[in-house]
Amino acid sequence: MAQNLSRKILQAHLAKPSEMVPGEEICLKVDQTLTHDINAVMTYLAFEQIGLDRTRVETSVSYLDHNLLYLDHKTPDDHIYLQSVAKRYGVYVSRPGNGICHAVQVARFGAPGKLSMGGDSHTPHGGSIGMMCIGVGGMDIATAMTGVPMRLKMPQIIRVNLTGKLRPGCNAKEVILEMLRRNTVKGGLGKIYEYTGPGAATLEVADRVTITNMGAELGATTSIFPADEMVRKFMKAQGREDQFAELGPDEGCSYDGEIEINLSELEPLIACPHQPDNVTTIRQVEKKKVQQVLIGGCTNGSYKDIARAAMVLKGHHVHEDVSCTCAISSKQIYKQLLKDGYIEMLIDAGVRLLELACGPCCAIGQSPATEGVAVRTTNRNFKGRAGNPTAHVYLVSPESAAACAVTGTFSTAQEIMGGDVVRLEEILEPEAYPIDDSQLIPPLSVEAAREVEIVRGPNIAPLPVPDAPEQHLKCKVSLKTVDNITTDDITPASAEFSSMRSNIPLMSQYCYHRYDPAFAARAKELGKSIIIGGENYGQGSSREHAAINPMYLGVKAVVAKSMARIHKGNLVNHGIIPMIFEDPADYDRISQMDDLEIVNLRDQMAQRRVEIRDNTKGISFTAKLDLSDSELEVILCGGQLRYLKKQLQEMDEK
Ligand code: F3S
């Protein structure tokens, strides 16, 4: 039977059941795992507790790429721990300076048909080369590393048929911003977007990564392109053509839905504060004075992106009121740009080159000024994501960002270059990248690895493990939130906060710090509590600290109108019960600090429907539990770590 590309790859990795039905749980064998420094300590602490001798997937890679500002001892403590624990368990390390995880992973480890899980929501970046790449929480990565098949709710597969060709001055960013404009940040929940058609064939891998990476902002499980001639070219340029295999949808295959986008009709777009789906055209957006521009990041930090931005800037200078920085996504790209003269163009134009790292994208440096307008080529513009909740962040392509840097307001490459904008089309990805893997530390042999001592500085605190839910829960509402709460709202990012993530007792004091600074103290004082959330609760970054910190503060359940996939998985893993209002109108009837009561909780959970009494208001309401059998079991036994240990013990006993 003719199959689409996504089903082919999922089928090839299916452990159980034999059928893949959208909405039903499937379990998948994983080929590769990826972690990065600001989320990974919890992953490896969990893996240590599991007690295996070595990672059991083909390739596990630990990236030291997000926080390279060593403000004090905490981040170097983390990096030294991560490097030593990787050596102990057979994991590659990508050292600081090698580049941003997704860019390096696709270039040096990715291959068509593989299935990868990453502890970062932008893991789908690798879908650009016909891989199935899924972002999950850190505990899921520890689980994947045991070789136990990973559970996933089978998504719907949506075909995105691309026709036409991008116009000069336009970037693949226009495609993903158009997807967000049409489908919103919730539109991709429970879906895989599979890009095909003649327009897709015109896009190089560097273009495709922008689309698959930022597909995370749609809430999608992942996004994928076929492994075609463009992928062969990329793999050849990486010196890995032997790992290329053509892979695409079968002729006449079916999909669960279809979207059409004509690339020729797109024009430069801009996502306005504070959501990536708040999209309009640069032509129509209200002109504002721009204070800061950031070019690069994992979404748009490719050779082609940076070179085209440099061409827009050539012969111009960054506006005197603009601070313009550039974060190139990998060392090999940097070296090629240097060789081809683009770095000089950037420097001559007054652009400041940053480390080859995430940096400002997750508020590690370069925060905008008070009420500052920042233009970025990254993927998220949530309030506070850039480190300053008063800032207004707009998302655009590198070509448009460079134009904004020159004029000091929202502009396009066409406005700067006029008819010469067609010259941008001459800039394509290199035929060969300067390969240099000296910053990648390969795994040790099994024997040598056993001799490695894991180094734990004072910032490495033990991993807290939740208790199983009690049968009779009586507690208050510690927080009632609005819609679209992000994991950045729950666990703020910045150089300072990110360096606390290995130390939950410390980090939990800053839970919801920017949204409600009194929350952490209140929740702690209550001892146990429930959070009431709106729509799309927990969207954004995969960081599991957004579940661990509330768990540590005694949060037992979150009742929301709807919930983002990765965050829901993280809540399950860390023993917080994710519940959905059966009637969303009940949200309005509950207030913060109401007294809630659930009798026979564990029994009711088994029915996937829980009645909650609000004793303050004298009302009752019901919540659904959208959980598979195994997810339910995980929560009932007190989180994924306890569950996994039990599973492995049972496997050993057989
Ligand atoms: Fe890094 Fe930002 Fe990408 S934090 S992985 S550059 S989304």
Side-chain angles (χ1 to χ4, degrees):
M1 192 180 133
Q3 280 194 311
N4 58 49
L5 171 60
S6 306
R7 289 190 81 94
K8 268 186 200 179
I9 302 177
L10 291 173
Q11 185 77 57
H13 292 83
L14 191 65
K16 65 174 186 184
S18 52
E19 289 289 308
M20 298 187 294
V21 179
E24 300 287 312
E25 186 174 270
I26 56 173
C27 291
L28 300 166
K29 286 171 276 176
V30 175
D31 300 317
Q32 300 186 350
T33 62
L34 166 166
T35 58
H36 63 66
D37 49 356
I38 63 173
N39 285 347
V41 171
M42 295 296 124
T43 302
Y44 295 105
L45 286 174
F47 192 74
E48 281 191 79
Q49 286 209 21
I50 292 164
L52 297 185
D53 195 34
R54 199 172 175 86
T55 177
R56 289 182 176 170
V57 296
E58 281 173 20
T59 313
S60 291
V61 192
S62 173
Y63 289 89
L64 309 182
D65 64 338
H66 274 56
N67 190 358
L68 306 192
L69 290 185
Y70 291 1
L71 292 179
D72 57 22
H73 72 282
K74 295 197 221 45
T75 304
D77 276 4
D78 289 355
H79 283 192
I80 289 168
Y81 167 75
L82 289 170
Q83 193 160 324
S84 64
V85 81
K87 274 191 175 175
R88 171 64 192 88
Y89 292 112
V91 175
Y92 280 89
V93 174
S94 179
R95 297 177 65 189
N98 200 35
I100 302 174
C101 53
H102 306 306
V104 177
Q105 183 84 3
V106 76
R108 305 310 303 146
F109 297 101
K114 294 280 184 196
L115 193 144
S116 166
M117 292 221 169
D120 185 275
S121 53
H122 294 104
T123 301
H125 189 100
S128 52
I129 60 165
M131 270 180 90
M132 182 65 59
C133 300
I134 301 173
V136 291
M139 184 63 77
D140 291 318
I141 298 300
T143 305
M145 286 171 64
T146 67
V148 168
M150 296 296 297
R151 54 178 184 262
L152 180 77
K153 194 186 256 193
M154 177 65 193
Q156 293 187 317
I157 318 290
I158 309 298
R159 179 182 187 218
V160 186
N161 186 34
L162 301 181
T163 58
K165 190 171 181 297
L166 286 170
R167 293 191 292 193
C170 287
N171 181 287
K173 189 69 154 240
E174 274 50 88
V175 181
I176 192 62
L177 290 179
E178 175 65 9
M179 283 287 285
L180 280 153
R181 190 186 67 77
R182 291 192 200 180
N183 300 294
T184 80
V185 291
K186 291 194 305 180
L189 288 175
K191 291 175 185 157
I192 293 177
Y193 289 112
E194 187 170 314
Y195 290 82
T196 65
T202 67
L203 300 174
E204 293 191 286
V205 169
D207 305 311
R208 297 177 184 189
V209 300
T210 301
I211 297 168
T212 54
N213 173 300
M214 207 171 159
E217 274 49 73
L218 290 157
T221 303
T222 192
S223 306
I224 192 165
F225 277 82
D228 57 8
E229 281 311 303
M230 287 297 192
V231 177
R232 184 197 297 277
K233 180 190 159 194
F234 176 78
M235 300 285 290
K236 189 173 174 202
Q238 290 294 340
R240 300 197 296 121
E241 194 182 2
D242 57 329
Q243 291 168 45
F244 171 78
E246 196 174 330
L247 198 58
D250 292 332
E251 192 75 34
C253 66
S254 63
Y255 290 89
D256 300 307
E258 184 150 340
I259 295 171
E260 293 271 343
I261 296 182
N262 183 346
L263 302 181
S264 312
E265 289 174 357
L266 298 178
E267 63 175 293
L269 297 174
I270 183 164
C272 303
H274 294 285
Q275 291 289 333
D277 61 1
N278 190 11
V279 174
T280 184
T281 63
I282 293 186
R283 197 167 37 85
Q284 289 170 317
V285 73
E286 183 195 345
K287 298 285 185 213
K288 289 195 172 156
K289 192 170 156 56
V290 171
Q291 182 256 321
Q292 191 189 67
V293 172
L294 170 67
I295 300 167
C298 66
T299 319
N300 275 115
S302 68
Y303 173 87
K304 185 173 178 174
D305 284 330
I306 307 296
R308 287 186 176 191
M311 276 300 283
V312 176
L313 285 154
K314 191 179 177 194
H316 300 277
H317 202 277
V318 170
H319 189 281
E320 65 181 18
D321 295 333
V322 174
S323 158
C324 183
T325 54
C326 180
I328 296 162
S329 67
S330 74
K331 184 168 111 174
Q332 59 168 228
I333 292 172
Y334 182 91
K335 283 173 77 173
Q336 189 66 33
L337 289 164
L338 192 63
K339 185 163 163 260
D340 295 343
Y342 292 112
I343 296 292
E344 195 174 355
M345 283 183 207
L346 292 171
I347 293 171
D348 286 348
V351 176
R352 289 146 54 209
L353 297 179
L354 303 176
E355 289 216 55
L356 307 177
C358 299
C361 175
C362 52
I364 294 171
Q366 309 305 318
S367 290
T370 306
E371 298 289 343
V373 170
V375 170
R376 296 184 163 205
T377 65
T378 50
N379 41 36
R380 292 192 171 134
N381 58 349
F382 303 145
K383 202 176 178 63
R385 162 90 180 179
N388 180 352
T390 73
H392 305 272
V393 179
Y394 293 74
L395 306 174
V396 300
S397 72
E399 292 89 334
S400 302
C404 298
V406 172
T407 62
T409 187
F410 305 129
S411 309
T412 64
Q414 170 99 41
E415 289 169 49
I416 304 294
M417 300 181 78
D420 275 354
V421 76
V422 293
R423 292 191 48 215
L424 293 177
E425 302 216 315
E426 293 162 14
I427 301 173
L428 296 171
E429 285 292 293
E431 296 292 326
Y433 293 91
I435 314 280
D436 173 3
D437 287 336
S438 59
Q439 293 284 91
L440 274 177
I441 306 174
L444 295 174
S445 68
V446 174
E447 295 71 30
R450 287 186 184 140
E451 301 301 316
V452 171
E453 191 191 331
I454 298 172
V455 185
R456 288 171 225 280
N459 199 41
I460 312 295
L463 177 72
V465 180
D467 294 323
E470 51 194 332
Q471 180 72 315
H472 186 175
L473 179 62
K474 217 171 161 202
C475 60
K476 283 189 186 291
V477 174
S478 53
L479 184 69
K480 183 176 177 184
T481 77
V482 295
D483 291 347
N484 291 320
I485 281 292
T486 71
T487 49
D488 280 279
D489 291 323
I490 306 171
T491 306
S494 75
E496 188 191 4
F497 291 131
S498 297
S499 68
M500 296 178 192
R501 289 194 195 163
S502 322
N503 187 336
I504 299 301
L506 176 65
M507 180 80 231
S508 63
Q509 295 171 29
Y510 299 93
C511 191
Y512 272 109
H513 184 64
R514 294 201 185 111
Y515 184 80
D516 178 352
F519 168 76
R522 186 166 63 239
K524 200 161 181 204
E525 198 183 321
L526 290 173
K528 52 187 169 182
S529 65
I530 289 177
I531 290 177
I532 300 294
E535 294 281 7
N536 203 17
Y537 182 87
Q539 67 162 329
S541 163
S542 68
R543 75 187 62 139
E544 64 182 340
H545 296 76
I548 302 175
N549 288 323
M551 177 269 284
Y552 186 79
L553 294 170
V555 174
K556 302 296 178 192
V558 175
V559 190
K561 290 187 197 170
S562 64
M563 212 170 270
R565 175 186 65 87
I566 301 179
H567 186 60
K568 185 185 124 190
N570 285 334
L571 292 177
V572 170
N573 285 343
H574 294 285
I576 296 181
I577 312 165
M579 301 191 197
I580 304 296
F581 283 106
E582 196 161 63
D583 178 0
D586 284 331
Y587 167 89
D588 297 320
R589 307 200 299 158
I590 306 158
S591 310
Q592 195 163 299
M593 295 306 280
D594 278 3
D595 283 304
L596 302 185
E597 183 172 7
I598 310 175
V599 294
N600 297 327
L601 171 60
R602 293 175 66 90
D603 300 338
Q604 290 202 69
M605 283 171 69
Q607 307 305 315
R608 313 295 204 275
R609 196 166 177 274
V610 172
E611 188 176 321
I612 305 173
R613 175 134 190 94
D614 184 329
N615 289 329
T616 308
K617 301 275 165 53
I619 55 169
S620 290
F621 60 96
T622 47
K624 296 175 293 180
L625 272 66
D626 181 17
L627 299 174
S628 68
D629 289 349
S630 51
E631 286 173 325
L632 185 66
E633 224 182 302
V634 169
I635 300 187
L636 287 174
C637 81
Q640 176 68 9
L641 191 58
R642 290 186 202 275
Y643 174 76
L644 185 61
K645 280 181 171 177
K646 200 171 120 212
Q647 249 189 332
L648 290 168
Q649 198 181 348
E650 284 167 6
M651 279 162 65
D652 284 350
E653 283 166 7
K654 274 183 193 164

